[in-house]
Amino acid sequence: MSDNTDRPYLDDVPQDVQDLIYQGQKIRAIKLVREKMGLGLKEAKERVDEVATRLCEQFPEDFTAGENSGCGTALLSVAALFAVGLYLVVTTFWR
């Protein structure tokens, strides 16, 4: 699953889980932790959050999770579409 062999990893966490965290895919990482470790949702989320924090602290130059993570991009896209739609409505009906 790793597409970056130069990426540093923690020794006590499966590499595929870390790859997902590095890529900003925390939900997929949580699902994988639940499958591999048999944890509940809350425990898996806490574990993934803890691993993400450790990665960020130990390897800040390599850790980019959160950049272009999806939620911000989605909200920006919705806002842009709303603005364009509003512009079209105003220009069409106020002539």
Side-chain angles (χ1 to χ4, degrees), residues 8-22:
Y9 292 99
L10 302 171
D11 293 333
D12 61 333
V13 181
Q15 186 172 326
D16 48 356
V17 171
Q18 293 180 72
D19 284 333
L20 290 172
I21 294 170
Y22 271 123

Side-chain angles (χ1 to χ4, degrees), residues 9-66:
Y9 292 99
L10 302 171
D11 293 333
D12 61 333
V13 181
Q15 186 172 326
D16 48 356
V17 171
Q18 293 180 72
D19 284 333
L20 290 172
I21 294 170
Y22 271 123
Q23 295 165 14
Q25 299 181 21
K26 287 177 100 175
I27 293 174
R28 288 185 58 201
I30 291 167
K31 289 179 183 179
L32 189 57
V33 166
R34 290 187 74 191
E35 290 173 13
K36 286 186 173 236
M37 302 177 82
L39 298 176
L41 180 59
K42 181 181 178 197
E43 293 81 10
K45 182 188 179 306
E46 289 171 352
R47 178 74 171 146
V48 168
D49 287 342
E50 181 258 328
V51 171
T53 300
R54 286 176 51 206
L55 287 171
C56 187
E57 289 172 354
Q58 292 184 25
F59 314 114
E61 65 282 350
D62 296 297
F63 189 78
T64 57

